[in-house]
Amino acid sequence: MGSGILAFGAYIPKKRLQRAAIHAANAWFAGGLKGLARGERAIGDWDEDPITMAVEAARDTLTGVDRATVGGVMLASTTLPFADRQNSGVIKEALTLADETGALDVTGSQRAATSMLIQALKAAGERPQLCLAAEMRKARPASEGEMVQGDAAAGLLVGTADPVAVFRGSHSTTIDFVDHYRSAGMDFDYGWESRWIRDEGFTGLIGGALKSGLKALGVEANAIDRFIVPISVRGVPDALAKKAGIRPEAVADTLSATVGDSGAAHPLLMLVAALEAAKPGETILLIGFGQGVDLILLETTEALTTLAPRRGVQGNIARGRKDENYLRWLFHRGLLDLERGMRAEMDQKQPGTTLWRNRKAVLGLVGGRCTRTGTVQFPKSDIGVNPNDHAAHTQEDYPLADKSARVVTYTADALTYSPSPPTYYGMIDFEGGGRMMAEFADVAPEDVEVGRAMEMVFRIKGTDEQRDFTKYFWKAAPVAEL
């Protein structure tokens, strides 16, 4: 059958900042943004970044998949937290994949994810490759980017064994068209005039690539069932479809109203949404744009109907929580310098030696299980915690990240420093054994109670501002009630 997509998944942060709230704060200065003040955009919390979002998208993608089969992890993003530390390597550790797993970061363009996907599909072998894309861009306050962008991540498992969507071919052009850019070390994009980008970039370059690409791929335009154009400018996807002869009903929703434009991750996010809605036998054409154009042609198969249920794009959209606190979001993005007090001055140094020795526990949340008593504990140690049998050297690795848990006790601490006070934390019991004190994430006062079902999420634990290092760990979040 050839290569294709074996599974897919997504992650969209729970908070949805209302665009009307952004405009209300900036209307005195940028009244012209009123036309964009509709709908909402997804925003990552203070403890989220492209790595944490990609981990959650990967977990969704790997639902029902034996992780021992994964041969590699690739991560596409233009907002990677580390310039010289393999970001996909952190994800590999969080997913507790085997050390014999390859890893690769892909960056430098808004079409990084589609170019990565093409390479994975062409090189697919015996062991599946996990292709992830995540983006969390900064935009200047009162800018158009602030209104239209969004934070999200998506994942695709690529391989050759019974794909849900078969790879039918690709077509690429590379042209140094500078519609926007962001130099190394800079926080914000610089963009050129929007009409020129629409006429020369979207209509000219994508339109030209569509014409030559459809011919090269040997597919008729009217045979496309789902046309995915990850461009949020109103009317552009429809105009491209009309010019190419693609049926209007094939044009996919850009998710602009509910998520926003998630940059390099957006083509894959829209592809996941399309696969969720597709039926077997449909033809999907995916576009990637950024210093050239990528076209990827896929055809769905009967395997789509047997894929295990997952949260996906629609599940993530459904669990969204309305947020109107624009100032808090600016603070979390480092765009508003609030007085944090002396309690925020604690040294957050992460010794590399201990992180290396305890990487399975810290990044993978791997505890221990006594092979003699069955007692589960975190962290794993040489001596068991069972009060009736302190057996020594009997523990085996016991991953806890995907175990469900329940709140035993909790508190809300408004005295210690937190970027989002109060800090919620408490004791949780894991299903099947094991207990730990955990910080809570994605939590509001009405979300916490003794006995509440929780799930573990990979998040930023703290930032060493003296040495510019981000520390990651697992937190407990309320299970979404859909």
Side-chain angles (χ1 to χ4, degrees):
M1 180 173 284
S3 66
I5 295 169
L6 308 182
F8 52 82
Y11 176 75
I12 303 169
K14 197 171 185 178
K15 286 184 177 177
R16 307 295 154 77
L17 185 60
Q18 304 302 297
R19 293 191 174 107
I22 302 175
H23 179 256
N26 296 312
W28 65 275
F29 180 75
L33 295 177
K34 185 176 181 180
L36 299 173
R38 295 188 294 272
E40 56 193 19
R41 55 160 295 170
I43 58 170
D45 212 331
W46 73 269
D47 57 356
E48 294 187 282
D49 68 8
I51 284 181
T52 67
M53 293 195 302
V55 168
E56 297 305 324
R59 297 172 76 193
D60 197 38
T61 303
L62 296 175
T63 301
V65 175
D66 179 3
R67 295 185 186 183
T69 64
V70 177
V73 180
M74 292 185 275
L75 172 63
S77 176
T78 69
T79 52
L80 294 170
F82 291 95
D84 191 354
R85 179 193 182 190
Q86 196 170 48
N87 298 272
S88 51
V90 180
I91 295 170
K92 171 262 168 188
E93 299 289 0
L95 298 175
T96 62
L97 300 179
D99 288 350
E100 293 75 25
T101 302
L104 177 69
D105 293 347
V106 184
T107 187
S109 168
Q110 291 296 291
R111 65 175 172 130
T114 51
S115 298
M116 169 188 70
L117 180 58
I118 289 172
Q119 297 306 314
L121 287 165
K122 287 183 174 179
E126 187 175 341
R127 297 184 67 189
Q129 302 293 310
L130 183 57
C131 297
L132 304 170
E135 196 84 294
M136 184 182 284
R137 291 180 288 181
K138 276 187 178 181
R140 292 186 192 278
S143 68
E144 183 175 328
E146 184 183 48
M147 298 291 279
V148 304
Q149 292 173 3
D151 305 330
L156 300 167
L157 189 65
V158 172
T160 57
D162 201 15
V164 300
V166 178
F167 177 50
R168 292 304 187 201
S170 65
H171 177 77
S172 296
T173 64
T174 299
I175 301 167
D176 189 28
F177 179 76
V178 188
D179 57 323
H180 76 282
Y181 68 92
R182 185 173 69 250
S183 298
M186 301 300 291
D187 282 337
F188 306 110
D189 292 357
Y190 183 86
W192 291 98
E193 198 263 332
S194 57
R195 189 173 62 177
W196 176 72
I197 297 169
R198 183 190 61 207
D199 292 347
E200 297 295 334
F202 302 153
T203 304
L205 297 183
I206 298 179
L210 265 174
K211 185 177 180 180
S212 58
L214 289 173
K215 184 178 179 181
L217 293 169
V219 60
E220 296 294 331
N222 60 11
I224 304 299
D225 297 301
R226 297 185 185 271
F227 182 45
I228 301 173
V229 184
I231 295 172
S232 60
V233 179
R234 190 176 305 169
V236 168
D238 297 286
L240 287 169
K242 184 177 181 181
K243 187 175 180 180
I246 296 171
R247 289 175 284 122
E249 60 270 25
V251 179
D253 176 15
T254 61
L255 306 174
S256 297
T258 51
V259 180
D261 179 355
S262 58
H266 213 57
L268 267 56
L269 189 74
M270 289 183 64
L271 176 57
V272 171
L275 290 169
E276 288 174 6
K279 295 180 174 58
E282 291 191 1
T283 300
I284 298 175
L285 184 62
L286 171 65
I287 302 290
F289 177 70
Q291 290 77 59
V293 183
D294 287 332
L295 274 66
I296 301 175
L297 188 66
L298 301 161
E299 182 180 341
T300 56
T301 72
E302 287 292 337
L304 197 61
T305 62
T306 61
L307 200 63
R310 62 207 57 228
R311 183 172 285 167
V313 172
Q314 295 308 319
N316 274 284
I317 289 176
R319 76 183 192 108
R321 172 173 286 170
K322 184 177 178 181
D323 189 352
E324 296 181 323
N325 196 330
Y326 176 61
L327 289 181
R328 179 174 59 196
W329 180 60
L330 290 182
F331 175 56
H332 289 171
R333 284 290 187 278
L335 299 173
L336 180 64
D337 190 14
L338 296 180
E339 171 57 53
R340 296 182 295 173
M342 294 178 64
R343 288 176 177 171
E345 297 173 0
M346 181 178 66
D347 191 350
Q348 293 271 5
K349 184 175 183 178
Q350 169 71 73
T353 48
T354 54
L355 178 60
W356 161 249
R357 285 196 299 270
N358 301 300
R359 61 192 174 97
K360 283 188 177 181
V362 175
L363 298 176
L365 197 65
V366 176
R369 178 182 177 277
C370 178
T371 55
R372 193 158 75 189
T373 66
T375 302
V376 177
Q377 66 179 75
F378 185 88
K380 180 181 176 183
S381 65
D382 288 340
I383 300 175
V385 297
N386 189 322
N388 298 317
D389 188 347
H390 292 298
H393 308 295
T394 59
Q395 294 194 18
E396 61 183 3
D397 285 350
Y398 192 81
L400 291 165
D402 292 319
K403 301 290 184 184
S404 59
R406 292 196 178 275
V407 175
V408 179
T409 63
Y410 73 93
T411 189
D413 187 347
L415 295 178
T416 188
Y417 170 74
S418 168
S420 188
T423 300
Y424 284 89
Y425 55 88
M427 188 69 72
I428 58 172
D429 269 350
F430 288 99
E431 181 183 13
R435 170 175 286 196
M436 68 177 285
M437 183 70 74
E439 188 175 340
F440 296 169
D442 289 342
V443 64
E446 63 271 19
D447 291 330
V448 188
E449 59 183 350
V450 172
R452 176 68 192 256
M454 307 291 275
E455 60 183 350
M456 304 310 292
V457 293
F458 190 68
R459 292 296 173 91
I460 293 171
K461 177 62 177 172
T463 302
D464 179 354
E465 295 181 348
Q466 296 182 49
R467 306 163 192 86
D468 199 18
F469 188 84
T470 302
K471 301 191 297 184
Y472 299 95
F473 192 53
W474 293 82
K475 300 180 182 179
V479 174
E481 297 177 345
L482 302 179

